[in-house]
Amino acid sequence: MGMLVVVNHPRDWPFEVEGMRIVTARDYLTDPAYSENNSARVLNLCRTERYQGRGYYVSLLAEARGHRPMPEVKTLGDLQTPEPLDRLLPASFNEQLQRALAQSGEATFVLDAFFGHDPTRRHESLAQQLFATLRIPLLRAFFDRPRGRWQLRDLALVGVADVDATLRPHVAEAAREFMTRSPRPRMKEAPTGAPQIAILYDESAAHPPSNPAAIAKLCDAARTLGMRATVIGRADIEKLAAFDALFIRETTNVNHHTYQFARRAAQEGLVVVDDPDSILKCTNKVYLNELLSRHRVPVPKTLMVHRDNVDQIVPLLGLPCILKQPDSAFSLGVAKVETPEAVRDVCEDLLAKSDLVVAQEWLPTTFDWRVGVYDRRPLYVCKYFMAPGHWQIVKRERGRTVEGSTQALSVGEAPEIVVRTAVRAANLIGDGLYGVDLKQDGQQCYVMEVNDNPNLDTDTEDGVLKDALYREVMGVFLRRIQERRRIAA
């Protein structure tokens, strides 16, 4: 399939470049043909400034399809964070910036970088560094110098329509040339001494994935293995460089400080669970459905809903059916709808927040399976029973929350198809810690979700392994830290 240039409208890319094919965002997101080929590369030239907007989903589904998008979703997430943007760039960029603009008499400066080229040819090295680091095809960088030194103030992803007509030929020229270039990796010196692991945790959070007793057991397990464990909070991001690993024990999301911690830790070379890619992939059900379906992992009958196909939900899925906000969690943003009128009303609310919504058939069961998968192996198995008189595990009513009971099993006690399906699904995401939720109907299992931040609670998930569960978790951290030290040395 070669190179796909994804745009909002065909007129946005008025060039002919050999090897490139123009595709609209709507076609790329909804035409099944684009999910069947994993050899493509995707240039996402849609507007991507809105989280869960159309441009965001182009990069997200491109990653699920193995299409190698530019820009990557994690880059889009980085641009949404409140952290200073210059943290995304290497230290050498700042010094190069001072030299390049030393003779400027202006207080502000704007640089266009088209596939790493400055169309004016005056600041090629700056444009090349921006592209090599961020991999954003069409970028506009804004600089100012409030205290006598130039600094990056803002970054904007621009579309071809936003480029001055006189400069557009430079875009096509730069696109032809960029095929031969690739970024170079950066290395970090090997640390020494006892491995240090930071555990990001907020006991006061509404739904912490570990209770205080479990956090204490994780710290004990780390000490038993010769590591030093420190519990940190959201104000401690600047301390990350002092650690060898980060274990996030807060509920994660892309527009959240947990993602900022994961990205910073990964940039510093730490072992990270949950890693940034896992957070991006697991917190969006559109991505998960695309990924699992592509690899033929069983999922409930599903429709990706946009404003033009709402009327297809009932004929395809029947009633009742389930409507989900793509980044829903803890049963929030998930609705069971039983009438056509309710389908339209709920879709209207959800589509106001996201350009795509997930609709699935309803599969009633008395419990869900949860298989914890870590380092590509099954770690624990639980049955999560539905809340009394409710169709979900968690029931919210009149300001209170009611949860169903939980039963822990050994991995060997669980049906083989449940464990095998869960491991297969989790391994499509990575080698981190995942909680795979499944429903079983006879000999068939359906994956409902893959969670990047599954619960590890005392007297629940550790019901079978007890303290050995926490030693297993920390043992993988220790092995990965030691391996990274050997490679760095």
Side-chain angles (χ1 to χ4, degrees):
M1 195 177 289
M3 177 72 73
L4 298 178
V5 179
V6 184
V7 294
N8 285 323
H9 304 284
R11 65 176 180 271
D12 291 344
W13 185 263
F15 312 113
E16 289 188 8
V17 178
E18 185 177 356
M20 290 185 173
R21 178 182 171 188
I22 309 303
V23 180
T24 66
R26 173 56 58 83
D27 287 346
Y28 184 77
L29 294 176
T30 60
D31 189 335
Y34 295 108
S35 64
E36 297 169 357
N37 185 298
N38 63 359
S39 62
R41 299 172 71 185
V42 169
L43 285 180
N44 181 6
L45 300 185
C46 302
R47 295 187 179 276
T48 54
E49 66 274 9
R50 187 168 76 89
Y51 174 60
Q52 293 190 351
R54 189 173 298 177
Y56 177 87
Y57 279 119
V58 167
S59 284
L60 186 73
L61 293 191
E63 291 190 9
R65 296 167 179 173
H67 284 180
R68 296 171 292 165
M70 292 175 50
E72 297 179 345
V73 177
K74 59 187 176 185
T75 302
L76 302 181
D78 288 340
L79 297 182
Q80 296 291 329
T81 67
E83 286 199 63
L85 292 171
D86 55 10
R87 293 191 179 279
L88 304 178
L89 302 171
S92 59
F93 180 84
N94 188 47
E95 295 308 315
Q96 187 176 354
L97 175 66
Q98 308 311 316
R99 292 193 298 271
L101 301 182
Q103 303 305 315
S104 174
E106 302 294 329
T108 62
F109 174 68
V110 179
L111 172 66
D112 284 332
F114 302 153
F115 297 93
H117 285 298
D118 172 10
T120 69
R121 304 299 185 188
R122 291 195 295 268
H123 299 289
E124 280 284 283
S125 60
L126 292 179
Q128 289 168 7
Q129 278 216 43
L130 287 171
F131 182 70
T133 304
L134 302 174
R135 305 300 287 173
I136 297 174
L138 305 181
L139 179 69
R140 184 164 291 152
F142 300 84
F143 304 91
D144 59 19
R145 50 176 176 184
R147 290 175 294 277
R149 281 183 64 84
W150 288 98
Q151 64 180 22
L152 177 63
R153 176 170 53 84
D154 197 10
L155 291 170
L157 284 72
V158 298
V160 178
D162 301 318
V163 178
D164 187 272
T166 60
L167 299 179
R168 291 180 191 177
H170 293 285
V171 175
E173 179 185 349
R176 294 187 184 97
E177 194 268 339
F178 108 98
M179 299 282 195
T180 61
R181 292 180 292 163
S182 61
R184 293 176 292 180
R186 290 178 284 168
M187 300 294 291
K188 184 178 178 180
E189 294 184 5
T192 59
Q196 307 240 17
I197 180 168
I199 301 176
L200 180 63
Y201 183 62
D202 179 6
E203 183 180 346
S204 65
H207 304 286
S210 287
N211 54 25
I215 296 298
K217 287 182 176 292
L218 287 168
C219 292
D220 289 342
R223 284 191 290 270
T224 300
L225 296 173
M227 297 191 293
R228 297 176 182 174
T230 304
V231 178
I232 64 173
R234 64 181 300 169
D236 297 323
I237 193 168
E238 300 300 333
K239 299 177 182 179
L240 284 176
F243 294 94
D244 298 284
L246 172 66
F247 190 19
I248 298 177
R249 288 282 80 199
E250 291 191 39
T251 301
T252 56
N253 212 326
V254 176
N255 289 342
H256 194 252
H257 69 270
T258 49
Y259 182 75
Q260 298 169 29
F261 270 77
R263 285 291 284 149
R264 177 74 69 85
Q267 290 168 350
E268 294 287 349
L270 278 65
V271 175
V272 188
V273 176
D274 307 319
D275 62 274
D277 284 346
S278 293
I279 294 174
L280 282 168
K281 294 172 181 178
C282 290
T283 55
N284 192 285
K285 293 173 176 59
V286 172
Y287 177 96
L288 283 175
N289 183 77
E290 182 79 21
L291 182 71
L292 297 173
S293 299
R294 175 171 164 247
H295 290 273
R296 294 179 171 82
V297 176
V299 296
K301 187 182 297 184
T302 303
L303 177 66
M304 290 299 113
V305 180
H306 48 82
R307 293 191 180 278
D308 295 336
N309 69 346
V310 174
D311 59 351
Q312 297 177 23
I313 297 174
V314 176
L316 179 66
L317 304 178
L319 292 173
C321 65
I322 307 299
L323 297 176
K324 298 180 178 181
Q325 184 177 312
D327 58 354
S328 58
F330 296 106
S331 302
L332 295 170
V334 180
K336 176 185 173 187
V337 290
E338 304 190 26
T339 67
E341 293 77 18
V343 169
R344 288 192 293 271
D345 291 344
V346 174
C347 281
E348 186 66 28
D349 290 341
L350 294 178
L351 287 169
K353 304 170 186 174
S354 170
D355 278 15
L356 294 177
V357 169
V358 180
Q360 288 184 328
E361 64 175 324
W362 184 46
L363 298 177
T365 57
T366 57
F367 67 87
D368 285 354
W369 289 103
R370 161 70 64 85
V371 180
V373 181
Y374 188 39
D375 198 32
R376 301 192 181 277
R377 297 175 291 116
L379 180 64
Y380 64 83
V381 179
C382 287
K383 288 181 177 180
Y384 291 170
F385 290 87
M386 303 301 157
H390 194 53
W391 61 278
Q392 291 175 294
I393 293 167
V394 179
K395 181 180 182 181
R396 292 177 173 82
E397 59 179 6
R398 299 176 183 175
R400 69 187 187 106
T401 299
V402 179
E403 296 187 28
S405 61
T406 303
Q407 178 186 352
L409 294 82
S410 68
V411 172
E413 289 180 281
E416 182 182 357
I417 190 172
V418 171
V419 177
R420 186 174 66 245
T421 303
V423 172
R424 186 176 163 215
N427 287 350
L428 293 174
I429 304 296
D431 60 3
L433 174 62
Y434 309 105
V436 185
D437 294 343
L438 310 97
K439 287 185 179 292
Q440 186 180 14
D441 182 12
Q443 292 302 307
Q444 181 66 63
C445 271
Y446 301 93
V447 174
M448 307 303 294
E449 289 186 344
V450 181
N451 302 280
D452 66 295
N453 195 248
N455 281 66
L456 292 178
D457 283 319
T458 53
D459 302 322
T460 305
E461 286 76 20
D462 69 356
V464 172
L465 292 178
K466 305 299 182 182
D467 290 353
L469 175 73
Y470 306 101
R471 291 197 298 272
E472 283 284 331
V473 171
M474 287 299 165
V476 172
F477 273 103
L478 177 61
R479 177 173 55 78
R480 292 182 182 181
I481 291 170
Q482 292 172 336
E483 181 64 21
R484 289 201 179 191
R485 287 187 173 187
R486 282 195 294 269
I487 292 173

